[in-house]
Amino acid sequence: MNRHAALLACLLPIAAQAQQVQRAGDYLARMDVDGDGRVSLPEYLDWMGYAFDRMDRDRDGVLSPPELPGGRGAPLTRAAHRAQLAERFRRQDTNRDGVLDARELAAPPR
């Protein structure tokens, strides 16, 4: 696992905990801003970006080593983080319809 993938894995629980998600159904309810019962890529990126924003203490759009879990690692830009999230979204979208339903959200990451 590369450093960016490891960081992404660290950020997911932070986002869930910070936004008080306790069940798989909570993800859908909280991420689904437009209430259509599905999570679009923009909704997913906005939700999952919360952890990045929380960790980016100087608000410069880059997680520098002191801001990263463990205090070290290569800097990670917001754009790179969003690209990683978009790739994760594509892997979770098993039926390739461009949105995530409750089943896809509850499935383990691929």
Side-chain angles (χ1 to χ4, degrees), residues 73-86:
L76 178 65
T77 66
R78 181 180 317 282
H81 181 248
R82 289 178 70 87
Q84 290 172 359
L85 291 173

Side-chain angles (χ1 to χ4, degrees), residues 7-44:
L7 176 61
L8 183 59
C10 290
L11 291 175
L12 295 176
I14 292 169
Q17 181 182 27
Q19 297 190 30
Q20 300 178 10
V21 173
Q22 300 187 6
R23 298 179 323 227
D26 289 342
Y27 279 111
L28 181 61
R30 294 195 182 246
M31 294 170 95
D32 181 20
V33 175
D34 63 10
D36 67 355
R38 306 173 310 165
V39 175
S40 66
L41 178 59
E43 289 170 326
Y44 185 83

Side-chain angles (χ1 to χ4, degrees), residues 60-77:
D60 67 351
V62 177
L63 295 182
S64 58
E67 295 170 320
L68 294 169
R72 62 179 185 232
L76 178 65
T77 66

